[in-house]
Amino acid sequence: SQTIHQWPATLVQPVGSPLSLECTVEGTSNPNLYWYRQAAGRGLQLLFYSVGIGQISSEVPQNLSASRPQDRQFILSSKKLLLSDSGFYLCAWSVLQGLGNTIYFGEGSWLTVV
Amino acid sequence: AQSVAQPEDQVNVAEGNPLTVKCTYSVSGNPYLFWYVQYPNRGLQFLLKYITGDNLVKGSYGFEAEFNKSQTSFHLKKPSALVSDSALYFCAVRDTFRDDKIIFGKGTRLHILP
């Protein structure tokens, strides 16, 4: 069965420091991969998605970037964190099998920028 | 523009009573609809989806949802609520122009009162 791992689970970083959140998916090949941010325990904002190695699409301009160095690995990064980057970050995956694809989420990473 | 709306920020239901969490959508073409649940500090969990066929879809934890094309709705229901059903619920629709993208509602917080 497929599983998704996301780490670290919690992170406290000072303003101006770098960031790296990692996500890996097991049990499937060539998944679509996603990074979402959830602020204040409510709505989801799609940050990045990837349909293949090295193929990254950004949904909103911001202080973050994403990379996909391997088929099932997705990394969210920042060179210099801002206070506004604090939030709950969720990695997700789906398999392209038509319009009925289901997105499955990891357990999330809490980022607090201080 | 394609969108999904959850008109209630919060729904309160007494334990044992039936519950409904509302969702309406606006898409071009056939809708592909999803419900997810999020418990505190956790990732989103897939509950159920409608692709085609029977308008009543059954999912995990005793939940079901009714697709109503004329009212463009996909309400989540459960015949008898449990305190453990208290969580944040998200309705979502797949972007019919981009099958790798899913659009989420802002979420409805469900409180089941003992």
Side-chain angles (χ1 to χ4, degrees):
Chain A
S1 62
Q2 300 90 352
T3 56
I4 180 169
H5 303 282
Q6 184 178 343
W7 71 94
T10 59
L11 196 60
V12 180
Q13 292 286 96
V15 169
S17 65
L19 170 73
S20 179
L21 298 179
E22 295 194 31
C23 173
T24 60
V25 179
E26 297 178 357
T28 188
S29 297
N30 196 30
N32 296 328
L33 296 173
Y34 308 82
W35 278 111
Y36 286 86
R37 178 167 59 198
Q38 185 178 26
R42 292 308 296 266
L44 296 169
Q45 180 186 35
L46 178 61
L47 302 176
F48 300 95
Y49 68 93
S50 171
V51 298
I53 296 175
Q55 301 178 60
I56 309 295
S57 295
S58 174
E59 288 294 298
V60 290
Q62 58 208 322
N63 185 41
L64 302 169
S65 62
S67 61
R68 184 170 177 172
Q70 301 181 41
D71 180 43
R72 290 169 291 172
Q73 183 184 23
F74 205 25
I75 298 172
L76 183 69
S77 303
S78 174
K79 292 182 179 179
K80 290 185 178 181
L81 284 168
L82 306 172
L83 287 175
S84 58
D85 292 324
S86 294
F88 191 47
Y89 289 83
L90 291 157
C91 182
W93 69 274
S94 70
V95 177
L96 189 62
Q97 292 178 341
L99 292 175
N101 293 343
T102 301
I103 289 183
Y104 296 96
F105 287 82
E107 287 300 308
S109 298
W110 272 109
L111 171 65
T112 303
V113 183
V114 297
Chain B
Q2 302 187 91
S3 64
V4 60
Q6 295 181 243
E8 302 154 317
D9 285 344
Q10 182 170 310
V11 172
N12 297 323
V13 177
E15 186 178 24
N17 284 1
L19 69 87
T20 298
V21 183
K22 296 180 179 178
C23 173
T24 59
Y25 64 90
S26 174
V27 297
S28 302
N30 295 322
Y32 298 87
L33 297 155
F34 305 81
W35 275 102
Y36 289 82
V37 60
Q38 185 182 32
Y39 298 101
N41 300 314
R42 303 292 299 276
L44 277 69
Q45 296 181 33
F46 168 71
L47 279 179
L48 51 81
K49 67 181 177 183
Y50 171 81
I51 305 301
T52 187
D54 194 345
N55 289 343
L56 186 63
V57 180
K58 294 188 182 298
S60 306
Y61 311 122
F63 283 93
E64 58 189 25
E66 185 170 11
F67 171 67
N68 188 315
K69 188 173 183 178
S70 63
Q71 297 185 6
T72 62
S73 67
F74 189 56
H75 300 332
L76 182 69
K77 300 180 179 182
K78 188 173 182 180
S80 178
L82 301 173
V83 172
S84 58
D85 293 330
S86 298
L88 185 59
Y89 290 80
F90 289 95
C91 182
V93 63
R94 183 159 294 279
D95 188 327
T96 52
F97 297 110
R98 291 275 309 281
D99 58 9
D100 55 359
K101 186 176 179 181
I102 188 168
I103 302 165
F104 284 87
K106 62 179 176 62
T108 298
R109 196 165 296 281
L110 178 63
H111 288 287
I112 307 301
L113 309 172

